[in-house]
């Protein structure tokens, strides 16, 4: 099983928007580029909502059948560990193995010594094809990197082998995620990590390193875009070097986690892909749950009333909602409107505050981030929320499709201009 060159991770917390998400990939195909959808949902999200990975698979398969999609598609066991992988073994074929909690924990000294001894080819000057800079890996850097990352890679190997024992070799796509950690990995560290991955015989097809800057959920990238582009280019060069040196899969590519709505870096991603003739896995492309709320608010009536109630409940429980996402959100409490203010908003006022249109003076990134992590509130509404999703399917689907295609696929994979929330696909 091979992941295509271009792919998008799409989350669907309530398993109602698979057709609308797939429609964005159909629009991409009509525009001349194959972008493969990967539906991702983490164990944490399943636990909060009370859903099962099998439900995600069923919704996706139904959408694929309904729309006649004949290209590949995948279901991702997002951010799994050895403790959480079991429930994903039957329904999933893509596994994001999260090793962030193991980074910095040292492997046995004998393992570190063996790794350093085995990889003397890494020492000295390193020339990465496609970049002008030259680099040097010293014995100290090699040993320090092994001490920091080797144990994490060994843990990834345990998870990979458990999946392989059930699914069979070649029947799933493995990814390693190390983005939720304290510092960005340098290209030399990434090269050393990939050597360790090869030693563990994990045929990863994507890897999610940490880039500098902040990748907060559902809002714009915060950081130096030029530095991001430099890091991405060097990481792509390091991957190319590792593939040639260690026999890793030829389609190995970068995965950009929390990639949704990072509009300022999309041109940089596109340029890097063209420069190295490689792909990227953009994960997640489009915050579907927020597009559901926008659609409900646009619909007015009961939909708008429920959207306002969800905000009020999220505001009241904002501390507990934010704790699990503390490293990937940046909410200023004084920037959150009081629920009684929001309760008086019109449909346009609510949607313009929530929709990620930075040209709008009403756009509120604090409100958007709070509602992003507030899906637990909607889950507690049960059938009331789900019934409104179904009765307002058309307007919600329009928002979901346009968001993924216009504001994510077009700038990243087609190199076009990202459209604002007020513009729509013809």
């Amino acid at each position: 099983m091979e992941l295509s060159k271009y792919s998008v991770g799409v989350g669907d917390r309530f398993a109602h928007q698979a057709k609308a998400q797939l429609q964005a990939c159909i629009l991409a195909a009509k525009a001349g580029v194959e972008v493969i959808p990967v539906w991702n949902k983490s164990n944490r999200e399943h636990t909060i909502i009370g859903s099962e990975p099998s439900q995600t698979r069923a919704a996706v398969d139904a959408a694929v059948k309904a729309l006649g999609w004949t290209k590949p598609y995948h279901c991702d066991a997002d951010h799994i560990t050895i403790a959480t992988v079991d429930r994903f073994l039957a329904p999933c074929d893509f596994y994001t193995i999260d090793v962030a909690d193991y980074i910095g924990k040292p492997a046995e000294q004998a393992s570190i010594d063996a790794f350093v001894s085995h990889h003397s080819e890494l020492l000295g000057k390193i020339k990465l094809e496609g970049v002008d800079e030259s680099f040097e890996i010293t014995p100290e850097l090699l040993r320090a990197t092994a001490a920091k990352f080797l144990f994490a890679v060994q843990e990834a190997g345990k998870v990979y082998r458990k999946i392989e024992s059930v699914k069979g070799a070649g029947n799933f796509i493995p990814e390693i995620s190390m983005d939720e950690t304290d510092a960005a990995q340098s290209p030399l560290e990434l090269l050393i990590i990939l050597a360790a991955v090869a030693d563990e015989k994990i045929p990863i097809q994507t890897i999610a390193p940490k880039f500098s800057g902040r990748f907060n959920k559902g809002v714009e990238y915060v950081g130096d875009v030029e530095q991001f582009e430099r890091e991405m280019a060097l990481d792509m060069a390091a991957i190319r070097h590792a593939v040639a040196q260690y026999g890793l899969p030829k389609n190995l590519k970068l995965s950009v986690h929390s990639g949704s709505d990072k509009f300022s870096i999309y041109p940089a991603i596109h340029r890097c892909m063209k420069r190295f003739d490689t792909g990227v896995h953009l994960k997640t492309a489009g915050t579907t749950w927020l597009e559901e709320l926008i659609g409900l608010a646009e619909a007015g009536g009961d939909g708008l009333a429920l959207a306002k109630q969800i905000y009020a409940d999220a505001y009241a429980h904002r501390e507990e909602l934010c704790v699990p996402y503390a490293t990937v959100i940046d909410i200023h409490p004084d920037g959150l409107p009081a629920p009684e203010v929001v309760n008086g908003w019109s449909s346009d006022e609510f949607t313009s505050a929530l929709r990620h249109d930075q040209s709008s003076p009403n756009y509120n990134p604090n409100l958007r981030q709070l509602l992003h992590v507030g899906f637990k509130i909607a889950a507690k509404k049960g059938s009331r929320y789900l019934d409104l999703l179904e009765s307002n399917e058309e307007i919600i689907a329009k928002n979901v499709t346009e968001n993924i295609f216009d504001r994510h696929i077009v700038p990243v994979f087609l190199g076009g201009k990202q459209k604002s929330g007020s513009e729509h696909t013809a």
Side-chain angles (χ1 to χ4, degrees), residues 141-390:
L141 176 61
L142 181 59
R143 182 169 291 276
T145 304
K148 184 174 182 180
F149 293 102
L150 186 57
F151 181 72
V153 175
Q154 291 172 341
E155 288 300 307
K158 293 177 183 177
V159 180
Y160 170 77
R161 286 185 286 276
K162 182 169 186 177
I163 301 166
E164 185 187 52
S165 70
V166 175
K167 308 290 288 190
N171 292 325
F172 61 98
I173 296 164
E175 170 180 298
I176 288 180
S177 164
M178 51 183 61
D179 62 303
E180 294 185 3
T181 186
D182 57 345
Q185 296 89 29
S186 72
L188 295 183
E189 286 177 324
L190 182 60
L191 182 57
I192 296 167
I193 290 164
L194 290 172
V197 170
D199 286 354
E200 284 289 318
K201 296 180 170 53
I202 312 172
I204 57 170
Q205 297 187 40
T206 72
I207 186 165
K210 181 179 177 63
F211 297 99
S212 61
R214 284 188 67 90
F215 287 75
N216 293 327
K217 294 287 188 181
V219 293
E220 182 60 277
Y221 171 75
V222 180
D224 184 332
V225 175
E226 289 186 4
Q227 175 64 16
F228 169 83
E229 184 166 0
R230 177 180 179 273
E231 290 176 7
M232 172 160 272
L234 291 175
D235 284 351
M236 287 179 171
I239 287 173
R240 177 178 288 180
H241 188 94
V243 167
Q245 182 79 34
Y246 301 114
L248 290 164
K250 295 187 186 304
N251 67 325
L252 175 58
K253 62 181 180 178
L254 287 173
S255 179
V256 182
H257 279 210
S258 295
S260 182
D261 294 72
K262 307 301 179 286
F263 302 136
S264 65
I265 64 172
Y266 289 172
I269 294 175
H270 183 77
R271 287 192 295 269
C272 286
M273 287 195 299
K274 292 302 180 185
R275 176 178 169 184
F276 289 92
D277 188 24
T278 188
V280 156
H281 181 52
L282 184 69
K283 178 180 174 177
T284 302
T287 46
T288 290
W289 137 246
L290 293 183
E291 295 302 320
E292 288 180 339
L293 270 188
I294 289 168
L296 290 179
E298 276 188 338
D302 290 343
L304 177 59
L306 181 58
K308 291 177 178 179
Q309 185 177 337
I310 288 171
Y311 176 75
D313 291 352
Y315 185 92
H317 296 89
R318 57 190 181 277
E319 291 186 8
E320 66 184 79
L321 291 172
C322 291
V323 166
Y325 297 92
T327 61
V328 286
I329 55 174
D330 188 12
I331 297 173
H332 299 282
D334 57 358
L336 291 170
E340 53 267 27
V341 172
V342 173
N343 198 47
W345 281 357
S346 66
S347 175
D348 286 345
E349 287 172 317
F350 191 100
T351 57
S352 63
L354 179 55
R355 181 179 278 120
H356 196 174
D357 177 6
Q358 295 175 77
S359 67
S360 170
N362 297 323
Y363 168 59
N364 187 326
N366 299 294
L367 174 143
R368 182 174 171 84
Q369 288 179 90
L370 177 60
L371 284 172
H372 188 287
V373 301
F375 65 94
K376 181 178 183 178
I377 303 296
K380 289 182 176 179
K381 303 298 181 185
S383 60
R384 183 185 174 198
Y385 180 73
L386 299 180
D387 289 349
L388 281 170
L389 290 187
E390 292 171 8

